[in-house]
Amino acid sequence: MARTKTYQDKVNWKKELRLAPGYIILTIWILFTFVLLGWVLAASFSTTKDIFAGNALRFPTGLHFENYVKAWTTANVSVFFCNSLIYAAISCTVLVMICAPAAYVLSRFEFISNKFIQTSLVSAMGVPAIMIILPLFTLIARMDILNNVLANRAVLIFLYIGINVPYTTIFLLTFFSNISHSFEEAAAIDGCSPMKTFWKIMLPMAQPGIITVTIFNFINIWNEYFISLIFANSDSLRPVAVGLFSMISSMKYTGDWAGMFAAVIIVFLPTFILYIFLSEKIIAGVTGGGVKG
């Protein structure tokens, strides 16, 4: 017994030794990220003069909360923030409404084009956005709707939904496939139709997967730059990524670096809060999926 325990300890020690380089790299990366974000946070409460003087972490003139007020109001961060929130919220909601039923059908029912649809969705995930965005821009420009604010918003939301449909469907398809068929069998015995079974039983059971893919889609749309750069042709339409880029471009005229760092923190907060409060849901959604059957 003692010999077996010694051998197991030796195996565990060798395993830990093999993983040590990974632990070291991960620790270095975490420290680098923490220091970088900490400096940006400190700079957002400082002044441009103190930042260039290297005193951003010392706060010689105190904490300047007005940087956030100025970034939110004067620098149009409130407009960019609300635009991104609208785009992400509507797109994520519609994606779940479209992709959850589609993923359930593809994972549970056999029909002629099932495999073809799944293969097409996987293939679509590998198509670069630039290959479809530029031709779409030409078509939409010919329709003469780019100068209409509401139509332009609708186009952006439509593109965000269309581009994320393949990934969302495949993610949820995998999740539904891991849920036991026994739940549907029990529902059928109780007289539930397939549609009622989906809405009353399967959809609530897929909640971890839905929350996870919604968070991923939200972050992806929140940070999206290329599509909005092409289709959002005014400040009233621009999301946070393009808005921050325009702020950086204007720094050579305004020189308000403290206000820019405050804007970066404002833009970063939503995704940071999602990760902090929903990290367990994300892990459950990626690794879980109900009882296999």
Side-chain angles (χ1 to χ4, degrees):
M1 185 69 181
R3 183 179 299 177
T4 303
K5 186 176 180 181
T6 303
Y7 174 77
Q8 187 64 39
D9 291 340
K10 186 181 293 185
V11 170
N12 292 336
W13 180 80
K14 289 182 178 180
K15 184 178 179 180
E16 291 293 331
L17 189 63
R18 287 196 301 268
L19 294 175
Y23 290 145
I24 294 172
I25 294 173
L26 182 61
T27 303
I28 293 173
W29 175 253
I30 292 173
L31 289 174
F32 172 78
T33 304
F34 179 79
V35 171
L36 182 63
L37 291 177
W39 187 91
V40 173
L41 180 62
S44 68
F45 287 104
S46 187
T47 63
T48 302
K49 182 180 178 181
D50 293 334
I51 292 172
F52 281 95
N55 295 325
L57 300 177
R58 300 176 183 176
F59 307 111
T61 57
L63 298 176
H64 295 268
F65 293 94
E66 66 272 13
N67 291 337
Y68 285 86
V69 177
K70 186 164 52 176
W72 183 259
T73 56
T74 307
N76 281 338
V77 172
S78 60
V79 176
F80 304 145
F81 189 96
C82 292
N83 285 338
S84 286
L85 195 60
I86 291 171
Y87 298 150
I90 296 177
S91 299
C92 290
T93 302
V94 176
L95 277 168
V96 171
M97 294 175 63
I98 294 174
C99 298
Y104 175 70
V105 171
L106 290 171
S107 65
R108 286 309 210 237
F109 300 97
E110 293 293 336
F111 50 92
I112 296 174
S113 58
N114 188 312
K115 295 299 180 183
F116 173 76
I117 294 174
Q118 293 188 38
T119 304
S120 300
L121 290 171
V122 173
S123 301
M125 292 170 61
V127 177
I130 193 172
M131 292 182 62
I132 59 175
I133 295 304
L134 295 181
L136 279 174
F137 179 80
T138 303
L139 292 174
I140 294 171
R142 289 178 180 175
M143 296 170 63
D144 197 25
I145 62 174
L146 290 177
N147 294 325
N148 187 306
V149 175
L150 291 178
N152 217 329
R153 287 187 188 275
V155 167
L156 275 170
I157 293 172
F158 175 79
L159 290 174
Y160 289 146
I161 293 170
I163 288 175
N164 288 289
V165 159
Y167 164 73
T168 306
T169 305
I170 293 300
F171 186 97
L172 292 177
L173 188 154
T174 305
F175 197 88
F176 279 118
S177 297
N178 288 331
I179 299 179
S180 175
H181 288 265
S182 60
F183 298 107
E184 294 160 298
E185 294 169 359
I189 293 173
D190 291 338
C192 286
S193 64
M195 183 67 71
K196 188 176 181 180
T197 300
F198 169 73
W199 289 109
K200 296 291 186 180
I201 299 175
M202 304 305 291
L203 191 64
M205 289 191 64
Q207 183 183 12
I210 291 173
I211 292 175
T212 302
V213 78
T214 299
I215 292 171
F216 288 158
N217 284 332
F218 183 91
I219 294 172
N220 183 37
I221 295 170
W222 185 268
N223 295 325
E224 196 283 322
Y225 177 80
F226 179 68
I227 298 175
S228 53
L229 177 65
I230 295 175
F231 287 93
N233 52 14
S234 66
D235 284 344
S236 61
L237 294 170
R238 286 172 182 158
V240 291
V242 180
L244 278 179
F245 179 78
S246 64
M247 286 183 61
I248 294 172
S249 300
S250 66
M251 280 300 103
K252 56 185 176 183
Y253 303 109
T254 62
D256 186 15
W257 291 96
M260 191 201 70
F261 287 126
V264 169
I265 295 297
I266 293 173
V267 170
F268 171 72
L269 272 179
T271 53
F272 179 73
I273 292 172
L274 282 176
Y275 274 125
I276 291 297
F277 290 99
L278 297 177
S279 59
E280 292 184 2
K281 293 286 186 180
I282 295 175
I283 295 172
V286 172
T287 60
V291 182
K292 282 199 173 186

